[in-house]
Amino acid sequence: MSESDGYHVVGGGIVGAAIAYHLSERTDDPIHVYEKGSLADETTSKSFAFFGFYGDETQYRMKRYAIEQYNEFMADPRASPGYVATGRLDVATTTDGADALRTNVEERGDRLADARGKDADTSPVDYLPSDELGSSMFLPFLDTDHVEAGVYRPNVGYLTPVEFALEYVERARENGVTFHEQTEITDLHVEDETLVGLSVDGEFHPAEAVVAAAGPWNQQVAEMAGVDIPVKHTLAPVLELEPSDPLGYTLPWITHHESGFTIRRDPDGTVMMTHHPVGGYDDATEYDPDAWDDTVPDEIRERGLETLYSLLPDVESFDVVDERVGIRSSTPDRNPVVGWTRVEGFSIAAYSTSGIQLAPASGKVVAAQLLDDDPTSYYEPLSIARFDGYVDWR
C-alpha cells in the first residue's frame, strides 16, 4: 500500500463500510478500510440485525435515513441484501413487568400527542394484557397463562447483516475505496493533540483522519490515540435451535422483558435465541474480544432454554445445533457515540447495540464532520462531549 494522507477507517464490518461509502460519495481523496480478519466476519456476522422504530427521537431519525437507504439498495443491489418481516412481541411474566410495558406505551402516547413533524415514532404499537393476547393475535405457541401482558409492534423485522455490509463494500469499491483484509492497525500517532498518522502492520502512513469503527475493539483503537471512550461490553450469545417436531406456525420476534432473552424463527424453521442484559450499561463490563471463542456460557444457555420452555410449553424440546458469541458494546444512555474526539483527526463510531440500524446515518454524520467541519443536527445526542468528563477537539 502506498503512503497517502487520505481517510482511514478501522473496522470492516457494516459500520466501517457505511462510513467509507459515505466518505467516498463526497470526496475523491484516498479512503482505506482495514479489517484484522475478513470483511463483515466479526460483530456484523453475529448480529440478529433486527430493524424497527423503537428508541428515542435521535434513533428514530437515524433509522428513517437508514430505511430510505436500505430500500434504495435492495431495489438496485450490488450484493444480495434481504429483509424478513416478523413483528416484535415484548412479553412480561410478572405484574411489575406488565406495569413497565404499559407505562412505556403510555409515555410513548404522550410523546406522540406533543410531537410535531416527521421525527415522531408513529409506527403502530399495541399493549395487550394477558386476557386479550389469546383473542387478539394468533399465538398457539405462547403460554398466555404464564404471560401477564405483551406489547406488539408489527413493523419490525430483521436484515441479512453480512449481505448489507457487503452492499456498502461493493458500492464503496465502485467509488475507489480500498479495503484491506487480514490487516492490523498497530499504532496511531498523535502530536500536540492532533492525529498525524497510523501504523499498518507496523508500517507508518500519514493520515488526514482515522475513524474507529471496530466494534468491541474500539477501546483498543482509541487507547492508541490516548483517548478514553464511555463504552463497555456485554456478551451477545446466539443459540441456533431446532425443534424436535417442526413448528407449523411462524414466530414473531419475542423478547422476555424480565430476563432479556429474545427468540425468533427463521424461514428454514430454526429458532434463534440471544440475550441482552436488562441492566444495560450498569451490567456491562469490559472484555477482550480476542479472548472469546464461540461457546455460549453454560449459565446463559440453561437460563435461555428455561425461559424458552416457559413461554412455549407445548414444544417438546429444542436441540442446540449451533452457537456463537459476539461482544456487544454498551453506552451509558443507549445512544451511539459518533464523531469527533478530543484528538483532532481521530473520530469514533461506537454503539449500544443497533449498529446495523444506525450505521447509515453514522456514515452521513462522520462524512459531514470530516469533510465540511459540520457538527450536524445530530451533534448533541451523539457527541462524546455529552458525557461528563469527555470533550472533543471542537
Side-chain angles (χ1 to χ4, degrees):
M1 185 184 73
S2 61
E3 288 195 359
S4 168
D5 286 345
Y7 299 91
H8 304 258
V9 181
V10 184
I14 192 168
V15 177
I19 290 170
Y21 166 76
H22 281 82
L23 285 168
S24 70
E25 288 282 281
R26 300 282 316 285
T27 181
D28 293 328
D29 289 347
I31 301 167
H32 296 272
V33 178
Y34 308 96
E35 170 53 52
K36 66 194 295 293
S38 299
L39 295 175
D41 195 39
E42 293 288 350
T43 306
T44 297
S45 69
K46 296 174 181 178
S47 171
F48 258 45
F50 283 122
F51 198 111
F53 288 110
Y54 43 88
D56 66 5
E57 178 185 342
T58 297
Q59 293 200 24
Y60 184 73
R61 291 172 58 208
M62 296 178 78
K63 290 175 183 181
R64 282 181 63 90
Y65 178 77
I67 203 167
E68 290 173 1
Q69 190 157 83
Y70 286 159
N71 274 323
E72 175 188 332
F73 287 179
M74 286 189 287
D76 183 24
R78 305 295 191 273
S80 54
Y83 172 80
V84 178
T86 63
R88 169 177 171 171
L89 179 64
D90 293 325
V91 297
T93 52
T94 65
T95 302
D96 287 346
D99 288 343
L101 291 183
R102 182 173 56 251
T103 298
N104 287 341
V105 173
E106 290 172 349
E107 291 176 348
R108 177 181 182 274
D110 292 340
R111 291 194 300 271
L112 276 176
D114 295 335
R116 298 291 184 271
K118 65 181 182 180
D119 292 333
D121 177 3
T122 56
S123 58
V125 173
D126 286 323
Y127 173 82
L128 299 170
S130 59
D131 58 354
E132 292 185 20
L133 277 167
S135 60
S136 301
M137 299 178 62
F138 283 99
L139 300 168
F141 48 84
L142 189 66
D143 185 355
T144 52
D145 292 332
H146 179 55
V147 172
E148 292 284 336
V151 172
Y152 184 62
R153 294 173 171 85
N155 190 25
V156 173
Y158 64 92
L159 306 166
T160 51
V162 172
E163 288 77 7
F164 267 98
L166 296 179
E167 185 72 22
Y168 276 118
V169 169
E170 293 307 313
R171 289 171 183 268
R173 279 177 170 155
E174 290 176 4
N175 292 343
V177 175
T178 303
F179 288 83
H180 308 268
E181 298 181 80
Q182 312 300 326
T183 303
E184 191 164 358
I185 302 306
T186 51
D187 203 2
L188 298 179
H189 301 270
V190 176
E191 297 177 2
D192 298 326
E193 294 297 296
T194 300
L195 185 135
V196 296
L198 70 168
S199 291
V200 182
D201 290 332
E203 181 181 351
F204 175 80
H205 299 271
E208 178 71 23
V210 170
V211 183
W217 287 271
N218 271 335
Q219 284 94 323
Q220 298 177 14
V221 177
E223 286 174 3
M224 295 180 191
V227 171
D228 178 44
I229 58 175
V231 176
K232 297 196 291 187
H233 296 143
T234 61
L235 294 183
V238 177
L239 291 174
E240 183 176 331
L241 308 167
E242 190 173 282
S244 54
D245 295 315
L247 301 180
Y249 40 77
T250 60
L251 298 176
W253 164 20
I254 301 175
T255 295
H256 183 227
H257 176 80
E258 286 81 1
S259 69
F261 283 97
T262 289
I263 60 174
R264 78 172 194 223
R265 182 180 183 272
D266 283 356
D268 64 2
T270 58
V271 173
M272 309 295 288
M273 172 182 286
T274 190
H275 178 252
H276 195 302
V278 294
Y281 190 79
D282 291 337
D283 286 352
T285 182
E286 192 163 328
Y287 294 108
D288 178 357
D290 293 313
W292 277 91
D293 61 19
D294 279 332
T295 302
V296 175
D298 290 340
E299 185 268 341
I300 293 179
R301 177 197 300 258
E302 292 169 4
R303 284 199 298 124
L305 291 174
E306 180 181 343
T307 300
L308 180 64
Y309 289 130
S310 72
L311 296 175
L312 281 64
D314 293 334
V315 178
E316 184 175 336
S317 66
F318 286 94
D319 296 321
V320 178
V321 296
D322 198 7
E323 59 188 275
R324 57 186 183 268
V325 178
I327 306 296
R328 181 190 295 113
S329 298
S330 182
T331 66
D333 62 3
R334 299 179 184 264
N335 276 340
V337 178
V338 178
W340 297 310
T341 70
R342 66 172 184 80
V343 170
E344 185 175 358
F346 178 66
S347 296
I348 193 83
Y351 295 82
S352 195
T353 73
S354 301
I356 289 172
Q357 303 183 63
L358 307 178
S362 299
K364 183 179 181 181
V365 169
V366 170
Q369 289 189 358
L370 296 185
L371 301 177
D372 304 328
D373 198 30
D374 176 10
T376 81
S377 62
Y378 291 101
Y379 177 76
E380 289 189 6
L382 298 187
S383 170
I384 196 171
R386 72 186 188 269
F387 298 112
D388 290 342
Y390 293 88
V391 297
D392 62 42
W393 68 270
R394 293 278 306 244

